[in-house]
Amino acid sequence: MNDFIKNMSVILPSYKPDEKLLTVLDGLAEKGFSDVIVVNDGSGSGYDGLFEKAAAFPGVTVLTHPENKGKGRALKTAFAYCIENRPACTGVITVDGDNQHHPDDILACCQKLSENPGQLVLGARSFSSDQVPFRSRFGNVMTRGVFRFACGIRITDTQTGLRAIPAQYLPLMLETAGERYEYETNMLLEMKTNEIPFTEVTIRTIYLDDNDSSHFNPLKDSIKIYRTIFAFLASSLASSLLDLGLFFLFVSLLAYFMPESLWNVVAATAAARVCSSLFNYLVNSKKVFRSKNRTSLARYYVLCILQFAASAGLVSLGAFLFHAGSVGKTVIKAIVDILLFLISYQLQREWVFKK
């Protein structure tokens, strides 16, 4: 284990730290970590003395941003430094500098990585305790639920900063979008997109002074995080709106030719679905799932046929039961397609565009 630790680099992004930064470095040294990269993310001249003390620790390298660029950029700076200057590095461990990660837990993540060299290790906190600040508990529950639906990833702690990353994934992490807190969320999305295996280690849940030392802005940074996640769904939602609008247009036009026929629902559904499905497939394959699976087109249209049949059948049944006109049929279709959308998205993610 000691030999494994020697080839591990601990990365510690830091912005306007206090003395707890030195406490973290003391704990790392006691556990045998001999290569620590601290990134001063534009803290300002008032913090130079503290970073000078940090640099005096054996094995500590301090990298400095002239101005604040965000946690994501600080991590990327350290990743790039490791790639260029640590050719024998087997992996890195990202740690927060506010002493909320216990040295034993950092060591446990390192141990887990040594046992599973191809897997990314996440330190997972428990959020059930009353001592956990509300904003942290609420934020994790919401993000965890969205991740489970949008990405199919079951992650206990989506906001953890304690992560052990094999060196082979560092180039990919450098290419991952995001400069601030949303970057850590994007890392998890890249794990799903690139099928990177991961495992979790249960760690202590430590919040000091109600987490007042955190520079995470609950409103501004949450918007960035959820915007990133819901961008993953934007194509499907846009296609649904396009399909709904085209359906209303076609069913209104066909009403002049087949005013009392239920076949106008089938025809309008088919015409709208052909247009919206082509749009949806192109965007999903190129931008959303970034799939190069050559069978995805055939699978996609198998799903489209099944979804078309379900939509047309359920809308026709609803229109017959409620004697609905054009507006009523559109409302029924909206309800039906919301339900089918939830099913379709899961199937696209796990079957159509699966690598």
Side-chain angles (χ1 to χ4, degrees), residues 243-253 326-327 330:
D243 185 69
L244 192 62
L246 291 173
F247 173 82
F248 176 74
L249 174 63
F250 293 145
V251 82
S252 298
L253 292 174
S326 295
V327 174
T330 303

Side-chain angles (χ1 to χ4, degrees), residues 117-334:
Q119 296 187 13
L120 195 149
V121 180
L122 303 175
R125 299 164 293 178
S126 171
F127 290 84
S128 59
S129 172
D130 293 336
Q131 296 179 351
V132 178
F134 174 77
R135 67 174 182 174
S136 297
R137 182 166 60 249
F138 177 78
N140 185 74
V141 169
M142 287 293 295
T143 308
R144 184 172 59 192
V146 173
F147 257 90
R148 183 174 177 179
F149 169 75
C151 313
I153 310 177
R154 292 175 179 266
I155 296 179
T156 304
D157 185 356
T158 60
Q159 299 171 348
T160 180
L162 180 55
R163 304 177 181 190
I165 307 171
Q168 68 198 74
Y169 301 131
L170 292 183
L172 174 64
M173 297 306 170
L174 272 180
E175 297 174 359
T176 300
E179 298 295 299
R180 297 188 178 275
Y181 283 100
E182 77 276 10
Y183 173 71
E184 291 183 306
T185 302
N186 291 348
M187 288 174 63
L188 302 180
L189 294 175
E190 288 295 336
M191 285 165 43
K192 173 64 178 180
T193 301
N194 293 277
E195 297 186 334
I196 297 175
F198 73 94
T199 186
E200 295 182 324
V201 173
T202 302
I203 64 174
R204 295 165 179 80
T205 305
I206 303 174
Y207 285 102
L208 306 175
D209 302 321
D210 200 32
N211 207 24
D212 287 339
S213 63
S214 174
H215 297 287
F216 181 84
N217 185 304
L219 178 60
K220 182 175 66 175
D221 292 308
S222 292
I223 289 174
K224 291 180 180 179
I225 289 173
Y226 287 111
R227 182 179 60 194
T228 299
I229 294 175
F230 282 108
F232 206 57
L233 302 174
S235 171
S236 296
L237 291 174
S239 300
S240 297
L241 292 175
L242 177 62
D243 185 69
L244 192 62
L246 291 173
F247 173 82
F248 176 74
L249 174 63
F250 293 145
V251 82
S252 298
L253 292 174
L254 290 172
Y256 289 102
F257 301 98
M258 297 180 289
E260 301 298 331
S261 174
L262 291 179
W263 284 106
N264 61 7
V265 173
V266 176
T269 300
R273 187 55 48 84
V274 167
C275 297
S276 63
S277 66
L278 182 59
F279 168 82
N280 184 249
Y281 172 78
L282 292 174
V283 176
N284 280 1
S285 63
K286 301 297 183 182
K287 300 296 183 182
V288 179
F289 299 102
R290 290 180 286 177
S291 173
K292 296 181 180 180
N293 189 333
R294 295 182 179 180
T295 64
S296 63
L297 182 61
R299 293 182 180 187
Y300 181 85
Y301 276 101
V302 168
L303 177 61
C304 278
I305 292 171
L306 294 176
Q307 191 172 352
F308 159 72
S311 178
L314 292 173
V315 173
S316 296
L317 178 61
F320 174 76
L321 293 176
F322 296 101
H323 305 286
S326 295
V327 174
K329 292 172 184 175
T330 303
V331 172
I332 293 172
K333 179 174 171 58

